[in-house]
């Protein structure tokens, strides 16, 4: 059953609690691996920290988790579900009718979220493997960073390679492993905190504010760039809403937050107790007793893999939603699992692997990766805040109050962005370049679609009904196919793309018994599967609106077979008895799908910029899924016809005949 119809979406269960731990909190749950390490290193090392610095840092982490994750995302954003689906594109579909410009924050947020997702596996897995430096007996092997890199790349290769088989089997282990992980974080943190109980003063926001203005803080407000690492998984939490339900997140988040907070307290207490030891080990692993460190590394590695898996599948979902919203090129999508929520996009999978691996090779260590991590996600959060502002207004909140509430979060996130902007020169430019590349791709695809709609001319189907009937009855022309199906998204009432009628009547008269004009409309609901037909007063012309949810596969032939049978059973469509068939009594004829693809010619109507957009889009199409594969036509008869974007281009151009000169003179 889809989440859209699930009666228990707002209910919490014990099983849902475990599942939520495995799916939702991978990113935010592995932040203790590197956040405190980043804070200490940016302060100048463990010997340079003071009690005020550590308590203030933990206080900043606690209140960041409270304001951003707990209030903005868990309390507010989770209410912005699009038929029980979350994420920035689902949020956009809820508010896109309120203003056309909202496509901008949606595209920017989606691009930055994808770019940051490519960095997360690199950071988490590398941080976990670096923990082996603190394990007696094998630490000498991993003192050489090259061995850390090789091990990390091997784990990433295995992780990305198994995506094509689906993750339902290992996915069952995610919840129990993460339950054990959070329990380990909480208990180890509580145990270490006993050595310095003053660390719990961090709950008081005074210490957070005091640290920002204290001279003991060597980085000033830019310390927030490291603090922000603790809450980077908040956006992923919202995106995974549809997988686990709102009730299970409400129930599990307090447990997760307490465990994470205890881990930071424990690390802080250990640092204060050992700041004169001269150790440069990661505080997370160093605070674990030596005889338990190898188990801590194994558990941290499993948690890092689970966090990476969540980001990978989240990227697949994000791209799939962008494709159906026509914001992204069409790539082949498969469904290796038992449900639609588990999908696999080969091109995206291996692009993520290449980017993640190159990130590991380029930055070499988690310390350097942390310098770049988090910059892009601050932009995503700001874009989500903009969209949430419109959502609150749509839900009835007074505009001035909605602006005040969201301005509060926007101010906090802008400060985090400003603090993280210093990371640009220290590696942040890598994720910015990736984000800009993705954003450019989205812009070209979206703009190209608008250009086509601008120039394509439409004709009234009813005006050509008699010509089509005459062609259908003209036995002097060979039967092209029993059913000819045109797939188009350019249908408005009885008006249809001129190039389709040109294909039927002019390019090569296509005689058929029934002409189908199918328009696939992606709905804001994730799991819709409905259709609407208009026979246009005939029994040989069928206009179909196929309404599919943005999470539904667009396998048109399978839906069309059902529609044909429905129309025949209701008597609206004559039965198409087949004389020759291996299926006795077959009453549905054969189909041929015709796909019209526009090509840019040297049309004078196009501006230089428009021509550049269309030509670039055509170049990108060489690497994308064909319409045949996207619409599930691999096993159907398909004809792809190419026509100029502007049909007037096929008319005569000015040219003069060379007249021979007479030789009589």
């Amino acid at each position: 059953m889809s989440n859209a119809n699930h009666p228990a979406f707002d209910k919490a269960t014990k099983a849902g609690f475990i599942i939520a731990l495995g799916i939702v909190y991978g990113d935010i749950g592995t932040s203790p691996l590197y956040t405190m390490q980043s804070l200490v290193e940016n302060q100048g090392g463990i010997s340079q920290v003071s009690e005020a610095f550590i308590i203030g840092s933990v206080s900043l982490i606690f209140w960041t988790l409270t304001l951003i994750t707990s209030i903005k995302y868990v309390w507010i954003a989770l209410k912005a579900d699009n038929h029980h689906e979350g994420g920035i594109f689902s949020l956009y579909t809820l508010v896109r009718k309120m203003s056309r410009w909202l496509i901008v924050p949606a595209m920017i947020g989606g691009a930055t979220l994808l770019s940051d997702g490519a960095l997360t596996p690199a950071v988490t897995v590398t941080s976990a493997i670096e923990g082996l430096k603190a394990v007696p007996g094998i630490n000498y092997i991993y003192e050489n960073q090259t061995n850390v890199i090789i091990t990390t790349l091997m784990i990433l290769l295995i992780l990305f390679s198994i995506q094509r088989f689906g993750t339902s089997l290992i996915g069952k282990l995610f919840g129990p492993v993460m339950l054990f992980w959070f329990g380990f974080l909480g208990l180890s943190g509580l145990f270490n905190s006993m050595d310095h109980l003053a660390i719990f003063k961090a709950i008081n926001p005074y210490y957070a504010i005091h640290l920002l203005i204290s001279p003991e803080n060597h980085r000033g407000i830019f310390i927030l760039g490291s603090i922000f690492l603790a809450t980077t998984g908040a956006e992923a939490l919202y995106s995974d809403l549809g997988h686990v339900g709102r009730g299970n997140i409400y129930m599990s988040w307090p447990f997760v937050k307490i465990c994470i907070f205890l881990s930071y307290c424990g690390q802080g207490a250990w640092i204060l107790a050992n700041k004169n030891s001269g150790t440069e080990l990661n505080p997370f692993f160093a605070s674990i007793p030596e005889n338990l460190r190898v188990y801590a590394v194994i558990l941290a590695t499993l948690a890092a893999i689970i966090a990476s898996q969540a980001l990978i599948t989240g990227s697949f979902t994000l791209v799939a939603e962008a494709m159906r919203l026509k914001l992204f090129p069409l790539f082949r999508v498969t469904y290796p699992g038992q449900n639609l929520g588990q999908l696999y996009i080969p091109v995206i999978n291996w692009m993520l692997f290449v980017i993640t691996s190159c990130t590991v090779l380029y930055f070499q260590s988690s310390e350097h990766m942390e310098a770049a991590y988090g910059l892009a996600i601050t932009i995503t959060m700001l874009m989500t805040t903009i969209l949430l502002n419109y959502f609150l207004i749509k839900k009835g909140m007074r505009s001035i109050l909605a602006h005040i509430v969201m301005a509060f979060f926007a101010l906090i996130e802008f400060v985090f962005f400003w603090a993280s902007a210093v990371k640009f020169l220290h590696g942040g430019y890598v994720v910015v370049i990736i984000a800009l590349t993705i954003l450019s791709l989205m812009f070209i695809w979206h703009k190209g679609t608008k250009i086509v709609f601008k120039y394509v001319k439409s004709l009234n189907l009813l005006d050509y009904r008699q010509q089509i009937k005459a062609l259908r009855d003209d036995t002097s022309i060979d039967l092209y196919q029993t059913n000819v199906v045109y797939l188009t998204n350019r249908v408005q009432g009885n008006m249809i793309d001129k190039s389709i009628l040109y294909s039927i009547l002019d390019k090569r008269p296509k005689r058929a018994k029934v002409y189908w004009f199918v328009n696939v409309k992606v709905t804001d609901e994730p799991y819709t599967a409905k259709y609407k037909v208009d026979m246009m007063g005939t029994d040989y012309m069928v206009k179909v609106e196929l309404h599919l949810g943005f999470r539904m596969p667009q396998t048109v032939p399978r839906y069309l077979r059902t529609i044909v049978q429905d129309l025949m059973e209701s008597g609206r469509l004559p039965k198409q008895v087949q004389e020759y068939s291996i299926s006795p009594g077959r009453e549905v004829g054969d189909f041929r799908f015709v796909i019209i693809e526009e090509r840019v010619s040297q049309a004078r109507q196009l501006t230089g910029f428009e021509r550049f957009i269309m030509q670039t889009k055509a170049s990108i199409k060489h690497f994308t899924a064909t319409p045949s594969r996207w619409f599930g036509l691999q096993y159907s008869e398909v004809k792809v016809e190419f026509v100029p974007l502007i049909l007037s281009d096929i008319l005569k151009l000015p040219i003069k005949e060379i007249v021979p000169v007479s030789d009589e003179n």
Side-chain angles (χ1 to χ4, degrees):
M1 184 182 292
S2 72
N3 285 329
N5 299 310
H6 205 297
F9 180 73
D10 285 314
K11 293 183 180 179
T13 63
K14 292 180 181 179
F17 175 88
I18 302 295
I19 293 170
L21 293 181
I23 293 177
V24 175
Y25 302 110
D27 190 4
I28 204 166
T30 51
S31 59
L33 287 173
Y34 44 77
T35 301
M36 190 61 75
Q37 180 184 26
S38 176
L39 285 163
V40 171
E41 288 172 347
N42 285 323
Q43 183 69 2
I46 192 171
S47 61
Q48 301 298 312
V49 301
S50 64
E51 180 174 316
F53 176 83
I54 292 298
I55 294 176
S57 296
V58 176
S59 183
L60 281 169
I61 290 172
F62 175 80
W63 285 102
T64 297
L65 289 172
T66 299
L67 293 174
I68 300 298
T69 311
S70 298
I71 297 179
K72 178 191 169 184
Y73 281 96
V74 176
W75 188 39
I76 298 177
L78 290 190
K79 292 182 173 63
D81 66 293
N82 176 29
H83 297 277
H84 300 176
E85 292 294 331
I88 193 163
F89 285 135
S90 292
L91 177 58
Y92 165 67
T93 59
L94 290 173
V95 298
R96 61 179 172 177
K97 294 180 180 179
M98 297 179 69
S99 180
R100 294 176 60 184
W101 77 274
L102 291 177
I103 187 69
V104 176
M107 290 169 62
I108 294 174
T112 50
L113 186 57
L114 273 175
S115 67
D116 214 71
L119 190 58
T120 297
V123 175
T124 54
V125 176
T126 304
S127 297
I129 299 302
E130 285 177 345
L132 292 170
K133 293 180 179 181
V135 179
I138 60 174
N139 55 345
Y140 69 94
I141 298 175
Y142 289 94
E143 286 177 356
N144 185 344
Q145 190 66 18
T146 301
N147 293 332
V148 173
I149 294 171
I150 292 173
T151 305
T152 299
L153 292 176
M154 289 176 61
I155 291 174
L156 290 173
L157 177 60
I158 295 171
L159 178 63
F160 282 96
S161 296
I162 65 173
Q163 298 302 314
R164 63 191 295 263
F165 302 109
T167 57
S168 57
L169 180 61
I170 62 172
K172 294 177 182 178
L173 301 175
F174 286 0
V177 169
M178 292 305 290
L179 176 62
F180 198 74
W181 169 251
F182 284 116
F184 175 76
L185 289 180
L187 291 175
S188 62
L190 181 61
F191 177 79
N192 284 311
S193 298
M194 293 297 103
D195 292 335
H196 200 92
L197 290 174
I199 194 70
F200 289 110
K201 292 192 294 185
I203 295 176
N204 188 336
Y206 164 80
Y207 295 97
I209 299 170
H210 180 265
L211 180 63
L212 289 177
I213 59 177
S214 172
E216 291 187 58
N217 172 16
H218 297 170
R219 294 178 61 82
I221 196 173
F222 294 107
I223 192 178
L224 294 177
S226 295
I227 295 295
F228 187 74
L229 297 175
T231 192
T232 52
E235 193 72 39
L237 179 151
Y238 176 41
S239 298
D240 288 325
L241 171 63
H243 291 104
V244 299
R246 186 160 45 216
N248 289 316
I249 296 179
Y250 283 161
M251 180 176 66
S252 57
W253 170 241
F255 167 74
V256 170
K257 183 182 177 183
I258 290 171
C259 291
I260 292 174
F261 175 63
L262 286 174
S263 178
Y264 286 121
C265 287
Q267 291 182 59
W270 181 89
I271 290 170
L272 292 177
N274 295 271
K275 68 176 184 175
N276 296 320
S277 64
T279 180
E280 295 299 331
L281 296 176
N282 184 329
F284 177 81
F285 292 105
S287 64
I288 306 298
E290 286 190 359
N291 60 330
L292 297 178
R293 284 179 189 171
V294 65
Y295 304 107
V297 171
I298 294 172
L299 188 57
T301 302
L302 291 174
I305 290 172
I306 292 171
S308 301
Q309 176 64 52
L311 265 294
I312 293 168
T313 54
S315 297
F316 293 158
T317 302
L318 194 69
V319 170
E321 292 175 5
M323 287 191 292
R324 291 185 174 94
L325 289 171
K326 295 182 175 61
L327 298 177
F328 218 76
L330 301 181
F331 293 115
R332 184 167 65 92
V333 180
T334 61
Y335 298 86
Q338 299 298 315
N339 57 71
L340 292 172
Q342 189 173 143
L343 49 84
Y344 171 67
I345 307 177
V347 172
I348 300 301
N349 182 68
W350 293 111
M351 283 181 63
L352 283 173
F353 171 71
V354 170
I355 294 171
T356 303
S357 300
C358 289
T359 299
V360 173
L361 292 170
Y362 180 73
F363 288 106
Q364 296 287 307
S365 70
S366 63
E367 177 187 350
H368 294 147
M369 293 178 206
E370 289 153 14
Y373 194 42
L375 174 58
I377 206 70
T378 58
I379 301 174
T380 305
M381 287 186 171
L382 278 166
M383 298 304 106
T384 299
T385 298
I386 293 172
L387 296 175
L388 279 175
N389 180 60
Y390 281 81
F391 170 78
L392 293 177
I393 295 172
K394 181 181 178 181
K395 284 298 180 180
M397 182 179 286
R398 294 179 60 184
S399 297
I400 185 64
L401 183 58
H403 293 332
I404 291 173
V405 171
M406 286 298 111
F408 170 74
F409 291 109
L411 177 61
I412 295 174
E413 289 160 355
F414 182 78
V415 173
F416 276 119
F417 168 73
W418 183 255
S420 299
V422 72
K423 296 181 177 184
F424 182 82
L425 296 178
H426 298 282
Y429 57 85
V430 173
V431 287
V432 171
I433 290 172
I434 297 171
L436 288 175
T437 302
I438 298 171
L439 184 60
S440 298
L441 188 62
M442 287 184 175
F443 174 77
I444 289 169
W445 211 255
H446 177 65
K447 186 67 176 178
T449 302
K450 293 181 68 175
I451 291 171
V452 169
F453 273 94
K454 175 182 176 181
Y455 286 103
V456 166
K457 294 182 179 179
S458 298
L459 297 174
N460 194 324
L461 265 173
L462 296 178
D463 294 341
Y464 296 86
R465 187 167 47 184
Q466 293 305 314
Q467 277 198 59
I468 292 175
K469 184 178 187 306
L471 173 61
R472 173 179 180 265
D473 297 335
D474 189 349
T475 56
S476 66
I477 298 176
D478 291 337
L479 187 69
Y480 185 73
Q481 208 83 12
T482 305
N483 297 278
V484 175
V485 183
Y486 284 88
L487 297 172
T488 178
N489 59 357
R490 295 190 284 274
V491 180
Q492 190 69 36
N494 292 325
M495 304 301 290
I496 197 167
D497 186 353
K498 179 180 179 181
S499 60
I500 291 178
L501 288 168
Y502 172 78
S503 170
I504 295 173
L505 301 172
D506 292 83
K507 187 155 187 157
R508 175 194 168 182
K510 295 178 176 61
R511 179 172 164 248
K513 291 185 179 179
V514 182
Y515 297 87
W516 299 80
F517 308 99
V518 179
N519 178 18
V520 179
K521 291 189 173 183
V522 180
T523 69
D524 292 348
E525 301 178 10
Y527 297 103
T528 302
K530 299 178 181 179
Y531 72 90
K532 183 168 64 175
V533 297
D534 180 1
M535 305 291 291
M536 310 186 73
T538 73
D539 61 358
Y540 56 87
M541 291 170 62
V542 187
K543 187 154 57 74
V544 179
E545 281 187 8
L546 189 56
H547 297 265
L548 299 176
F550 63 80
R551 285 188 182 272
M552 295 291 285
Q554 297 185 16
T555 48
V556 172
R558 296 177 63 183
Y559 295 117
L560 202 56
R561 287 282 175 181
T562 302
I563 295 171
V564 170
Q565 292 172 356
D566 289 350
L567 292 177
M568 287 181 175
E569 289 174 3
S570 64
R572 287 178 285 177
L573 192 69
K575 294 182 178 179
Q576 302 167 349
V577 179
Q578 300 297 293
E579 185 175 353
Y580 304 103
S581 174
I582 61 173
S583 303
R586 178 178 170 182
E587 297 177 337
V588 178
D590 49 3
F591 286 78
R592 178 171 295 190
F593 294 84
V594 181
I595 297 173
I596 306 293
E597 288 198 18
E598 290 89 359
R599 287 290 185 266
V600 178
S601 60
Q602 297 301 316
R604 287 169 290 182
Q605 295 95 321
L606 289 173
T607 66
F609 176 70
E610 290 173 335
R611 190 175 293 111
F612 166 77
I613 291 292
M614 296 304 298
Q615 289 172 344
T616 305
K617 185 175 181 179
S619 299
I620 294 171
K621 281 186 175 181
H622 291 299
F623 304 96
T624 65
T626 62
S628 299
R629 183 176 290 275
W630 177 254
F631 288 112
L633 309 179
Q634 301 96 311
Y635 308 108
S636 305
E637 286 201 52
V638 181
K639 172 69 174 176
V640 180
E641 293 187 351
F642 299 97
V643 299
L645 176 60
I646 302 175
L647 279 175
S648 60
D649 291 349
I650 65 174
L651 302 179
K652 65 180 183 178
L653 295 173
I655 188 171
K656 294 183 179 180
E657 178 185 4
I658 299 176
V659 180
V661 179
S662 175
D663 295 333
E664 293 181 359
N665 296 329

